[in-house]
Structures are given as structure tokens and as C-alpha cells.
Amino acid sequence: MVRTFYNELADKINKIKDSFNRPLTLSEKILYSHLYNNKNIVSLRRGVDYVDFAPDRIAMQDATAQMALLQFMMAGENRTSVPASVHCDHLIMAKSGAPEDMKSALITNREVYDFLSSVCNKYGIGFWRPGAGIIHQIILENYAFPGGMMIGTDSHTPNAGGLGMVAIGVGGADAVDVMTGMEWELKLPKLIGIKLNGKLNGWTSAKDIILKVAGLLTVSGGTGCIVEYFGEGAESLSCTGKATICNMGAEIGATCSIFGYDDSMARYLFATGRKEIAVLADKNRKHLNSDPEIFSDPTKYLDRFIEINISDLEPHINGPFTPDLATPVSRMKAEVEKNKWPVKVDAGLIGSCTNSSYEDISRAASVVKNALNVRLTAKSEFKITPGSEQIRYIAERDGYFKLFEKIGGEVFANACGPCIGQWDRKGSDQNLVNTVIHSFNRNFAKRTDGNPNTHAFVASPEIVTAIAISGKLTFNPITDTLLNSEGKEVKIAEPVGLELPPQGFGKIENGYQEPEKNGSDVDIIIASDSERLQPLKPFKEWDGSDFSNLPLLIKAKGKCTTDHISMAGFWLKYRGHLENISDNYMIGAVNYFNDKTNLILNQLTHKYDTVPSVARAYKSAGIGSVVAGEENFGEGSSREHAAMEPRYLNVKAVIVKSFARIHETNLKKQGVLTLTFSNKEDYYKIKENDKIDITVLKEFSPGKQLTVVLNHPDGEKEKITANHSYNETQIAWFKAGSALNLIRKSKKST
Ligand code: MIC
Ligand code: SF4
């Protein structure tokens, strides 16, 4: 597939260039060479028009694949139309170190792993067993290729941008479209260019570039945009450093991020056994980069342009509770004091899909070595989650784990673990206020260990390691000294690392299961009393009438990420069981009217109760409800449970100030009406016991506002207008009850 791709690339790009008759950026080249139908591309407007694409590949991880595949099973296909893979990484609990944790994961999650493995076998999907590693790391090591396009049911899919791919996070229903051979639709992204000048040095690493960018653009600044990095600074970064930056582009809401093909990518491809791809990509180098005119006059061609001098960039620490609160290390002392963040650091954690490269591990190990040389040991706990078995193997072989052990380091399984609340941390149930620092990407409340009072900070692996050694959030390794075991003031020398393993990656048992050539005989078993898996039932079609008198379920206040809407950690075990997981709906969201989580008014009983019980009460009384929210609603992950749960619980509409891209699409696909206030201040008009009408639905059409009537309890009615971003196809999803219903209908009629 990849060979054919490169053989056709020059021709395709030249045709695109002929039609545009202007220089093109790298993402434009990739997007337009992956169109589903050859439409009139020149007239397409960025940020306005929806375009149909044909991605080359699909990746799914176990926590989202369950729903994606349960939906795919309903679509009536025999095999996936596009190469796809499933990765078992999210469900492994970190507790006592890799060997023990793997043993218990295989027992507790057996039913789910067996289900995923058999579905993969039946439908021709590659299956990566538990222990093989985290989806994005495996994709980078095995499947990503420059110039390609892929989608993945995980928001950090853009990690593959480090190898020059347009890689986009989506909900499972989008993956189902592509697996059934249909087009995949996306609003044509706008383009942000970031020019990196200079070269990293000392304690600063690629992670600090994205931590800085997150501070500049905030959690919603990249919404609807592809971020393209270029410049001498970009070329000087390793391929895996580039991947870290693209990975965390999810934290600014970017559709994806990307770097042009260069020597660092060639080196990585060679090292990971993909010489042939490197040779083909080399031949196509100019098609795998933006045209030179873009670099000389970026503001002419891009929607936004930013320059960063990485030679002067300081290491950053972002957090707590949000990944865009960026503080350079030299200002940490002042910020910690001002905000009264707990100074003592209980744990430092490195690894995850974001920062598990050989370079990361070797630089963190260098910090440890330098600290041991001056007789320092670690004050905080220190944990390592390798991104893949490949990385684990070489890190162990090359002696890095030995070094980590010397400061009490513990290696967890090759899995998400503490990055997604899957950390069975001693004492976390006591909800004590404490600080941890990690090199993962997100730090929303409860996400590390389930404790809402854990202040999680994000930094590079080398800074995390240095801080874990010092035990203090305020430690600046560039300037500060520490007291060693001999009572002397000492400094930790700057880390040095290696981009790639000098002894190569070596041969390992990688945990891959090739699907059967013909899977028609494979049976998929779901036990009828299973608590973890449940076949789906199609949602009902829209009945053709306006919504009237729908009680407000909850008006969420402030940040409402998918972690607030459908929490991970404990709840991950119900990812294949819609009915059971619906018991976590909005339990993390703050109720505007009492500032409490999971306590809302039941308009039927006039009593306060949890969000899921009130929603279930409305559902069983046969009434729908409405949810309201503020900015960037549903930011964070791709989990479509955050959209399927409200649909299952009979929530008819979600009205917010603004949506995060993936969550809005997920809601639309499941048939929940997504609206935004045309006047954001109208959010404040919604009262706790309002009944809400949504009218003119019969005239629901692209670009036409809908009317929302707030029926206040005193009999007063307030009319407000709401915008929507539906196109014709998406309106058809709404009318059919879900996008999947529409696929099923079209399959039946053919
Ligand atoms: C995350 O980082 O939040 C997750 C867990 O990987 C999610 C997917 C999920 O909820 O299963 C994501 O980023 O999409
Ligand atoms: Fe796993 Fe964390 Fe990466 Fe999500 S961000 S894929 S939870 S390691």
C-alpha cells in the first residue's frame, strides 16, 4: 500500500498544484491527495466547507475500540475496507509494577480482550495484545509514514505528525464510516504555521516547545486548525521529539499537527526497520514538505503565524488541572507561592504515549546518573511507563532501568496507567491535597489517580526527573543547588541523551496478532449477563416534531472536558456496556446553581439527586432533557461515550457557548442536537427549573438558526436563538436518529 502511495504521489501533487496555481503547504498537499471524490477543490474554503476524505489507515485503542467495533458489527460488513489496528493499552491498572500488573490485567480484562481479539480476527483488523504498548507509540514505530493520512479513535492520534502524517483523532462512529468504505468528513481545517528558530540546548527539550505553545494558544486556540511546524529549529529536532509536539497538539484543540519530511524522520524509519519507506520518502522529499514560497511569506498563505526562538526557550511546567497554564521553571517559585500550590512533590512519573522515546528515557537516565555522581538520591517516588515493549526492551538492555532503580524507580506495564487514572495509588482514596509531576499530556482533575486534590503538573521527562530528585515543585535545576548525602550543596549537571539506540532496536516478541485471512467462521461471544459488554440497540429516529417542555438536566459551569462528562479510571471497565457506563454521565461536571458536582435538581420530584439518576428518571418517564455548558465543551478526549451516554439517557440537545471539535461531531453522529448560543450571555438566562422548547426543527437546514424558548417556572417565556454547524449530511444523521442508522439504511437498500 505504501509503495503504491509513493509511486502515485508526484502525479497527484502536480495535479493539485496545477488546479490551485499557487504554492501549497504540506497539510494541503496531504489533505487534497486524500480526497474521497475529486470535487472542485479550488473553491473549498478553510474553516467553512466540509470535505470528504479517504484516510489510509485507522487505529483504535481498547477503551474506544469496544464501542467502535460494537457499532461496526451493526453496520453489516464482512471486513474492514481500510487497514486498521486495535491496541490494548488503556485497561491495564498500574499498581505493583509491570509483571504483577500484567498478570492481573489479563485476568480482570479477559472478557474484553477476547472480544476485541475475535472481532479483529473476524473483520481483518490487526490486534496488538496487552503489553505490546500504547497505541500512538506502536503506530509511530510500525505504521506511520510521511505524507499519509490516518484517523484514530483517540485524541492523541496526531502523534504520527512527528513522521509527517496528517493523523486525526475521531470518535468510533467516524472509524466505522471509514471501515465500511464510506467517506470521512471533516471541516477543511485552517492553518497555523509555527516557525522554530534556533536550536534546543541544556535542559530544554521538544516537550517545552509544546508546553510553551499551549500557554500561547490555550486549550482551544488550535480548534479547527492544523498546526504546521517548520524552520531550522524544527529540522534540528529528533523525529520522536516532533511526535511529542504533535501529540500534545491535542491539548490546544488542534485537528492535528505536522512536520515536513526531513533527515530525522529518515533516521527514525531506518532505525525502526523501515528503510524502504525512507528511500521512497527521500525521493519524494519536495512533495512531503510545504513549497518554499510558504516559508518565505508565511502570513500570505497561513491563517495564523507564530515564531519561537527555541535557543532561548526555558523548560516549562504546565498545570495544575489544565495543560495550558504554562510557567517557565524560573518563575515557578513565585507562582507556587502566589497560588499556594503544594510545594512538596510526592511522585514524578515519566513515559506515556507522549514522552517514551529512547531520547526521552536516555535524557531522564542522564539526569539520574548526574545526580548519583554528586551523591543525590530521589525525595519523591519515581515511576516509568514505557510506551511500547520495543522501548521497554531497549531501555532495559541499555541499562537505563538499572539507573532508575537506584533512585527507587518502579517500571509499570507498557500501557497508559497513571495517565488515565489507572493508577491504584496507595492512599489516593483519602483525597489528600498533594502534588505530582509527570511527562504525560493532560492533567485534568482526577486524571492521574482519581483524587480530585492531586495537583498534577506536566513537564519534560528530564525536568520531571530532576524535580522528583529534589522533591520540590519550586526546584529549578538550571540555577538551584541541592543538599547531598554528605551535606554539600551540589548542582545536577545538564542532561545529555541519544536520539536513537546505538545498538539498534533489536528483535522482540512484539505482541502482534495477524487477523485470519478469512474470518467468516470466527464467532464473537458476548455473555448475556456480561457487565462489561453489551450489544447495541439502534437509537430511535427523530419523530419529526419540535422539542417542547424538556427539563434542563444540568447547566455545567466552567471547564467541562470529556473527563468531566464521562470519567475514565474506574469507569474504563464499562467502555463496552452503554447502559452501565451511563451511570457516570456528567458526574464530574459542576452544577452552575450550587457549585457542586453530581447534585442536580430533579424537576419531577423537586429533590436533588445525582446526574445519572435524574437523567434515568426523565428517561423512564418518557421525557427528554437538555444540557447547557460553557466554552470548549467536551475538550480533551475522543471518547464517544461522552456522546452516547446522553443519547442513551434521552438528552435531546446540548447548548453551549462553544464545542471542542471531536465531541461536537460525536454528539452529532449519535443524534444529539448540538447548538451554540448566538449570544453567549444567554447561557446565564437558563434557570435551574426551566423547561425548554427547541423550535423550527422542521426547517432545520444548514446555516439557519434555531429558536430556543426558555419556559421559566414563573410562567415567563424567554426566546433566544441558537446557531448550529450542521451540513445536509449531518442533518440527515439527526433525522435518522444517528449516523449509524443512516449507514444501516443505505446498506439495506443496496
Ligand atoms: C485520553 O488521553 O484522554 C484517552 C483516554 O486516551 C482518550 C480516549 C479514551 O477516553 O478512551 C483520548 O484521548 O481520546
Ligand atoms: Fe494513553 Fe495517556 Fe496517551 Fe491517552 S494520553 S493514549 S491515556 S498514554
Side-chain angles (χ1 to χ4, degrees):
M1 185 272 270
V2 178
R3 205 170 306 125
T4 322
F5 172 84
Y6 285 117
N7 287 342
E8 294 172 352
L9 189 64
D11 245 16
K12 274 193 188 161
I13 304 277
N14 288 334
K15 276 197 194 123
I16 298 165
K17 287 193 69 170
D18 285 347
S19 5
F20 276 97
N21 204 15
R22 66 159 170 86
L24 295 174
T25 71
L26 172 59
S27 9
E28 288 178 305
K29 292 181 186 179
I30 301 182
L31 291 172
Y32 294 128
S33 57
H34 285 87
L35 292 175
Y36 190 81
N37 290 319
N38 294 333
K39 278 209 206 124
N40 180 12
I41 49 176
V42 181
S43 63
L44 293 173
R45 292 158 301 167
R46 298 205 289 253
V48 179
D49 293 315
Y50 284 93
V51 184
D52 293 338
F53 292 103
D56 301 308
R57 167 165 282 283
I58 303 163
M60 290 165 274
Q61 41 88 345
D62 50 4
T64 49
Q66 297 172 59
M67 261 319 157
L69 296 173
L70 283 165
Q71 293 178 80
F72 181 64
M73 283 160 59
M74 285 171 56
E77 293 289 326
N78 295 329
R79 236 170 148 73
T80 172
S81 299
V82 171
S85 56
V86 165
H87 305 263
C88 296
D89 49 5
H90 280 63
L91 302 178
I92 302 167
M93 177 70 83
K95 185 176 180 189
S96 325
E100 283 292 306
D101 296 349
M102 276 310 299
K103 255 191 238 154
S104 37
L106 291 174
I107 299 168
T108 34
N109 302 319
R110 181 149 165 220
E111 181 187 5
V112 173
Y113 295 147
D114 286 351
F115 167 74
L116 291 174
S117 149
S118 59
V119 178
C120 286
N121 246 334
K122 187 169 183 74
Y123 296 108
I125 301 167
F127 179 70
W128 289 80
R129 295 189 189 94
I134 309 174
I135 174 169
H136 312 301
Q137 183 71 26
I138 303 265
I139 294 287
L140 198 72
E141 285 168 7
N142 296 277
Y143 296 127
F145 61 94
M149 181 182 202
M150 71 173 240
I151 58 166
T153 61
D154 190 281
S155 66
H156 294 104
T157 304
N159 191 68
L163 252 180
M165 243 189 154
V166 161
I168 302 179
V170 298
D174 286 46
V176 172
D177 287 351
V178 181
M179 282 193 281
T180 54
M182 285 171 44
E183 65 278 19
W184 175 65
E185 182 198 75
L186 177 76
K187 192 180 273 180
L188 193 64
K190 292 191 172 188
L191 301 173
I192 299 178
I194 301 189
K195 184 168 181 221
L196 303 177
N197 299 318
K199 199 166 184 275
L200 292 173
N201 57 71
W203 282 89
T204 311
S205 72
K207 178 78 158 196
D208 299 302
I209 300 175
I210 187 62
L211 293 176
K212 163 92 184 166
V213 169
L216 290 174
L217 291 181
T218 79
V219 284
S220 57
T223 306
C225 301
I226 294 188
V227 185
E228 289 199 28
Y229 291 87
F230 53 88
E232 49 164 359
E235 276 170 40
S236 71
L237 299 174
S238 64
C239 170
T240 50
K242 292 178 168 92
T244 296
I245 295 175
C246 294
N247 177 307
M248 268 197 78
E251 273 52 69
I252 54 165
T255 302
C256 70
S257 306
I258 193 165
F259 284 80
Y261 176 73
D262 65 12
D263 291 346
S264 73
M265 297 187 193
R267 289 194 296 274
Y268 186 74
L269 286 166
F270 263 93
T272 49
R274 289 169 291 166
K275 178 173 161 205
E276 200 189 342
I277 298 185
V279 171
L280 288 167
D282 258 336
K283 284 196 191 132
N284 284 287
R285 201 176 267 252
K286 75 169 189 222
H287 304 307
L288 300 171
N289 274 286
S290 295
D291 291 331
E293 294 87 335
I294 308 281
F295 303 137
S296 40
D297 196 357
T299 45
K300 181 166 170 198
Y301 300 103
L302 300 164
D303 299 292
R304 186 164 177 194
F305 175 61
I306 295 167
E307 261 181 284
I308 299 175
N309 184 352
I310 61 171
S311 303
D312 317 328
L313 184 68
E314 255 192 78
H316 277 59
I317 297 182
N318 288 22
F321 304 118
T322 184
D324 58 349
L325 186 57
T327 310
V329 274
S330 63
R331 289 217 332 258
M332 261 325 256
K333 282 190 194 87
E335 288 299 311
V336 167
E337 238 167 68
K338 188 174 101 200
N339 297 293
K340 302 201 170 46
W341 295 328
V343 181
K344 178 172 167 278
V345 174
D346 287 344
L349 305 103
I350 63 166
S352 89
C353 67
T354 328
N355 273 103
S356 275
S357 64
Y358 192 78
E359 188 176 41
D360 291 329
I361 305 269
S362 63
R363 279 176 66 85
S366 159
V367 174
V368 173
K369 195 164 162 207
N370 296 345
L372 291 171
N373 281 345
V374 291
R375 299 188 194 292
L376 287 167
T377 51
K379 296 256 175 11
S380 317
E381 278 180 44
F382 190 60
K383 313 279 180 198
I384 306 102
T385 34
S388 67
E389 174 56 15
Q390 181 66 82
I391 284 292
R392 189 210 59 76
Y393 168 77
I394 47 180
E396 170 139 63
R397 178 196 65 192
D398 297 352
Y400 296 135
F401 287 172
K402 280 244 153 54
L403 271 173
F404 294 145
E405 272 162 31
K406 289 193 180 151
I407 59 159
E410 183 178 29
V411 181
F412 284 147
N414 312 321
C416 302
C419 181
I420 187 58
Q422 290 279 68
W423 182 18
D424 190 349
R425 185 181 177 198
K426 230 180 162 176
S428 65
D429 51 346
Q430 290 166 30
N431 289 354
L432 299 178
V433 174
N434 76 103
T435 291
V436 301
I437 186 162
H438 60 60
S439 71
F440 313 156
N441 41 33
R442 298 198 168 134
N443 52 354
F444 304 134
K446 293 196 182 181
R447 198 179 151 97
T448 323
D449 58 0
N451 171 359
N453 299 319
T454 294
H455 291 54
F457 291 84
V458 184
S460 68
E462 41 276 62
I463 291 294
V464 169
T465 311
I467 296 229
I469 290 167
S470 76
K472 288 181 303 189
L473 193 57
T474 46
F475 177 62
N476 177 356
I478 302 169
T479 51
D480 297 355
T481 54
L482 294 168
L483 220 49
N484 73 1
S485 58
E486 293 163 349
K488 278 196 202 131
E489 297 274 353
V490 290
K491 268 186 85 171
I492 308 179
E494 276 176 6
V496 283
L498 292 165
E499 179 184 286
L500 292 162
Q503 294 182 54
F505 276 85
K507 277 250 165 306
I508 53 151
E509 171 30 83
N510 64 6
Y512 175 67
Q513 170 189 296
E514 179 78 18
E516 306 255 344
K517 289 267 169 308
N518 175 2
S520 55
D521 291 341
V522 177
D523 286 329
I524 296 165
I525 299 156
I526 298 180
S528 58
D529 60 348
S530 171
E531 286 194 350
R532 298 194 59 174
L533 295 166
Q534 182 187 50
L536 291 167
K537 288 196 199 103
F539 294 127
K540 280 210 186 98
E541 283 186 13
W542 174 56
D543 65 4
S545 40
D546 282 346
F547 295 142
S548 66
N549 260 330
L550 305 179
L552 172 75
L553 182 68
I554 176 171
K555 175 155 110 174
K557 181 175 171 184
K559 208 175 186 61
C560 191
T561 71
T562 45
D563 279 305
H564 297 80
I565 304 172
S566 175
M567 215 164 268
F570 167 84
W571 294 93
L572 285 175
K573 65 169 177 270
Y574 296 128
R575 284 293 184 87
H577 199 295
L578 183 55
E579 191 179 333
N580 285 349
I581 199 162
S582 294
D583 275 339
N584 79 359
Y585 182 55
M586 286 297 246
I587 61 176
V590 176
N591 177 1
Y592 177 87
F593 301 102
N594 60 10
D595 280 336
K596 297 212 161 82
T597 51
N598 207 16
L599 196 67
I600 57 165
L601 179 72
N602 178 336
Q603 293 200 33
L604 296 174
T605 60
H606 306 289
K607 293 208 174 97
Y608 282 83
D609 208 338
T610 64
V611 185
S613 358
V614 178
R616 279 187 197 274
Y618 294 156
K619 180 180 160 91
S620 46
I623 42 184
S625 58
V626 173
V627 167
E630 301 205 52
E631 300 283 4
N632 208 20
F633 189 85
E635 81 177 77
S637 99
S638 68
R639 62 190 75 142
E640 65 192 327
H641 306 78
M644 295 180 87
E645 293 173 30
R647 182 69 171 99
Y648 171 79
L649 292 168
N650 228 8
V651 172
K652 300 288 185 198
V654 177
I655 315 177
V656 296
K657 293 183 184 171
S658 65
F659 279 107
R661 174 187 63 90
I662 309 181
H663 185 57
E664 182 176 22
T665 310
N666 285 347
L667 285 166
K668 284 180 178 173
K669 288 220 135 158
Q670 300 301 340
V672 180
L673 190 61
T674 57
L675 302 176
T676 51
F677 297 102
S678 54
N679 171 11
K680 291 187 178 180
E681 294 302 303
D682 288 346
Y683 165 85
Y684 301 98
K685 292 186 179 156
I686 300 182
K687 299 200 173 133
E688 191 172 23
N689 33 16
D690 272 356
K691 298 248 174 13
I692 298 167
D693 308 334
I694 298 171
T695 64
V696 290
L697 271 176
K698 286 202 184 73
E699 291 150 38
F700 193 10
S701 53
K704 191 170 185 308
Q705 289 183 322
L706 292 173
T707 306
V708 176
V709 183
L710 307 175
N711 301 294
H712 297 311
D714 55 7
E716 193 206 336
K717 280 180 191 297
E718 242 177 314
K719 218 183 228 184
I720 60 175
T721 49
N723 298 333
H724 69 81
S725 61
Y726 283 76
N727 61 18
E728 292 288 0
T729 319
Q730 296 170 341
I731 292 175
W733 300 340
F734 170 75
K735 291 187 172 162
S738 74
L740 189 58
N741 284 354
L742 209 61
I743 301 186
R744 282 150 40 90
K745 258 195 200 164
S746 71
K747 294 276 162 202
K748 266 192 212 144
S749 59
T750 49

